[in-house]
Amino acid sequence: YLLIKETNMANIKPFKALRPQAKIAKQVASRPYDVLSSAEAKIEAQGNPASFLHITKSEIDLPESVDVHAPEVYLQAKENLQASIQRDTLFRESKECYYIYQLIMNGREQTGLVCVSSVDDYENDIIKKHEFTRPEKELDRINHIKTSGAQTGNVFLAYRNYHSIDAIIEKWKKTKSPGYDFLADDGIQHTVWAISDETIIDQITNLFATEVPCTYIADGHHRAASAAKVKLAISEEAVKPGDDAKKISDYFLTTLFPSNQLAIMDYNRVVKDLNGLSATAFITALENDFTIQKEESAFKPTTLHSFGMYLENNWYQLTAKPGIYSSDPIGVLDVTILSNSILSKVLGIHDQRTDKRIDFVGGIRGLGELEKRVNSGEMAVAFSLYPVTIDQLFNIADAGEVMPPKSTWFEPKLRDGLLTHLIHS
């Protein structure tokens, strides 16, 4: 392929996807491995041997006594993947293609380009990050990729949209027939087109190489970090120059979405106890930094620096007082204000990554889920937040800063299994 590569521009490539036969694409496609527990995955895949969960959550095919990170889990994933290929449930594309992936949820459409992105771009910060990763989660994906020989999890990247790229993708959608088009059980429409025309492939590759200075990880920090470490491990193991596995592992599976099509949902918090305070004392402590107003019904914030709080069967609106937060990209975030002025200052939760007293609830579950967790007695208090904006995410990543954990929730989610990147020829 013709490639005009500029310094510090996005390096993407087409690839030979491993993908399902069209007639069973819906049965194969599964929710991402990291949004389901093992028990939930087992129920979801029950009676469906084609489900990709048998590969991404292969512990569902082993006794419950087996640790989910045991070597036999990854070996089972490899065995299940190979069995799917042998049954012709999955097949390998004969030539390198780009793929267009359109999702429609509640009438809102977003369209991304599925490709492989350069690990070097990840390491050189052309692919920008905004979260820390956890070693144990990285190790799980490293073992899964190395043992199965496949990158099954897609890294969701965003970029500042360019009309020329949008135009090529929209024209292909309007003039070509999709390879997959189905409505999933959760009501989300998934439509995929394969771009096999070499002229169009070259145009797309070169537009990213000359017009897109960087991309941003929206979802998939652990998958991206794991791909980079797998590349390093394979490079060290390669016995001869030009080894195919080494060459292919230089890239990892990504879907790139233009920023004007993306929406970030709220990512809310629930806490087990009030750190020894009564409800009255807790509210009094919050009044130092917030104006508090009791609400008649569930409160979903509609502006920055406004929070909902559910405590003892009542909803409250908390409004941050001027001066309690800074104006820098991290300080201005509502998740930072909540972390500093409530979770740490009043509730004694200083590390949300490790503290077992806090849990996180994606906005897709609604405020009813917050009420349910508190009313059950499992949690003492819940907080609803205004979502981070895509511009805030970009500004933080551009500044080289890191958001508090669990700051962004993207919907709809890409399905696993529709397009897989094998790291061997």
Side-chain angles (χ1 to χ4, degrees):
Y1 298 105
L2 174 67
L3 175 63
I4 304 170
K5 176 64 178 170
E6 297 288 335
T7 303
N8 297 330
M9 290 287 182
N11 179 5
I12 67 168
K13 283 177 54 176
F15 69 109
K16 295 178 182 178
L18 181 72
R19 60 190 185 94
Q21 301 290 349
K23 63 184 178 182
I24 56 169
K26 181 177 178 179
Q27 290 96 305
V28 171
S30 68
R31 289 196 284 163
Y33 77 95
D34 54 354
V35 303
L36 294 167
S37 69
S38 298
E40 290 169 333
K42 191 165 190 173
I43 293 169
E44 198 151 306
Q46 194 167 16
N48 180 11
S51 172
F52 208 69
L53 288 170
H54 293 288
I55 295 161
T56 56
K57 301 282 287 185
S58 52
E59 67 269 18
I60 66 177
D61 295 325
L62 295 169
E64 290 183 10
S65 59
V66 175
D67 186 275
V68 295
H69 299 129
E72 50 262 53
V73 173
Y74 306 112
L75 288 169
Q76 185 70 48
K78 179 180 180 179
E79 181 180 312
N80 290 349
L81 181 67
Q82 293 303 318
S84 293
I85 295 170
Q86 289 166 7
R87 291 195 305 265
D88 206 29
T89 300
L90 303 175
F91 72 96
R92 183 82 176 275
E93 200 81 67
S94 60
K95 65 174 295 185
E96 293 185 341
C97 298
Y98 283 128
Y99 302 88
I100 298 170
Y101 191 161
Q102 174 187 281
L103 303 102
I104 300 176
M105 175 182 175
N106 299 329
R108 187 179 67 81
E109 174 189 307
Q110 66 182 54
T111 303
L113 180 74
V114 188
C115 60
V116 289
S117 293
S118 167
V119 171
D120 285 347
D121 280 5
Y122 173 84
E123 292 173 337
N124 296 328
D125 209 34
I126 293 170
I127 297 173
K128 294 180 179 287
K129 309 93 178 160
H130 67 265
E131 283 185 8
F132 287 127
T133 55
R134 292 166 54 183
E136 69 275 13
K137 290 188 71 175
E138 281 187 27
L139 183 59
D140 171 55
R141 284 304 95 186
I142 290 167
N143 289 335
H144 194 279
I145 294 168
K146 287 191 69 178
T147 304
S148 69
Q151 294 165 350
T152 59
N154 212 313
V155 178
F156 181 160
L157 299 180
Y159 63 96
R160 290 186 172 89
N161 54 292
Y162 292 86
H163 174 73
S164 51
I165 297 172
D166 294 345
I168 291 173
I169 289 174
E170 288 304 312
K171 182 178 179 181
W172 193 274
K173 285 169 54 179
K174 289 176 181 175
T175 59
K176 306 292 182 181
S177 298
Y180 306 136
D181 189 18
F182 63 88
L183 185 69
D185 292 341
D186 58 5
I188 298 172
Q189 187 80 27
H190 299 262
T191 311
V192 177
W193 294 258
I195 301 177
S196 57
D197 183 292
E198 292 189 15
T199 301
I200 302 299
I201 288 173
D202 286 344
Q203 288 177 10
I204 293 171
T205 305
N206 287 314
L207 280 168
F208 275 91
T210 58
E211 300 294 334
V212 180
C214 60
T215 59
Y216 301 81
I217 298 178
D219 192 9
H221 282 80
H222 289 92
R223 295 188 286 277
S226 301
K229 288 182 177 170
V230 168
K231 175 206 168 183
L232 178 63
I234 288 177
S235 296
E236 292 172 347
E237 293 168 3
V239 294
K240 61 181 184 297
D243 180 272
D244 283 342
K246 176 184 181 300
K247 190 174 180 181
I248 297 172
S249 67
D250 285 349
Y251 289 80
F252 63 104
L253 182 64
T254 57
T255 300
L256 281 65
F257 286 92
S259 57
N260 62 346
Q261 295 193 24
L262 296 179
I264 304 177
M265 297 188 74
D266 44 312
Y267 213 156
N268 302 312
R269 272 77 169 137
V270 287
V271 179
K272 287 183 183 293
D273 61 72
L274 300 181
N275 200 26
L277 299 173
S278 67
T280 301
F282 177 59
I283 290 174
T284 299
L286 296 184
E287 287 175 338
N288 291 322
D289 292 335
F290 298 89
T291 301
I292 301 176
Q293 177 181 319
K294 195 171 183 179
E295 297 290 329
E296 295 299 319
S297 58
F299 181 73
K300 186 178 180 69
T302 57
T303 59
L304 284 169
H305 312 332
S306 174
F307 305 82
M309 180 176 74
Y310 186 65
L311 175 69
E312 293 192 337
N313 296 307
N314 291 306
W315 276 97
Y316 301 85
Q317 179 183 172
L318 312 181
T319 304
K321 293 180 179 179
I324 73 160
Y325 54 88
S326 62
S327 59
D328 64 86
I330 293 291
V332 77
L333 293 177
D334 283 349
V335 288
T336 304
I337 296 171
L338 181 77
S339 297
N340 292 344
S341 297
I342 299 179
L343 299 179
S344 179
K345 183 177 180 180
V346 181
L347 292 175
I349 297 172
H350 306 295
D351 187 348
Q352 295 177 57
R353 295 175 188 281
T354 59
D355 199 310
K356 303 300 184 186
R357 295 168 56 216
I358 189 169
D359 199 6
F360 308 89
V361 181
I364 191 69
R365 294 182 177 268
L367 299 186
E369 180 69 13
L370 301 183
E371 294 180 352
K372 177 183 172 183
R373 299 284 294 273
V374 173
N375 291 343
S376 70
E378 176 198 2
M379 297 291 175
V381 64
F383 300 96
S384 58
L385 285 80
Y386 187 72
V388 172
T389 68
I390 196 71
D391 284 337
Q392 285 179 320
L393 186 155
F394 286 174
N395 290 340
I396 288 163
D398 286 341
E401 299 284 356
V402 176
M403 287 188 191
K406 306 295 186 183
S407 295
T408 58
W409 183 279
F410 285 88
E411 287 286 349
K413 302 286 187 188
L414 302 166
R415 289 270 162 155
D416 285 347
L418 289 178
L419 299 160
T420 296
H421 181 225
L422 298 179
I423 60 167
H424 53 75
S425 57

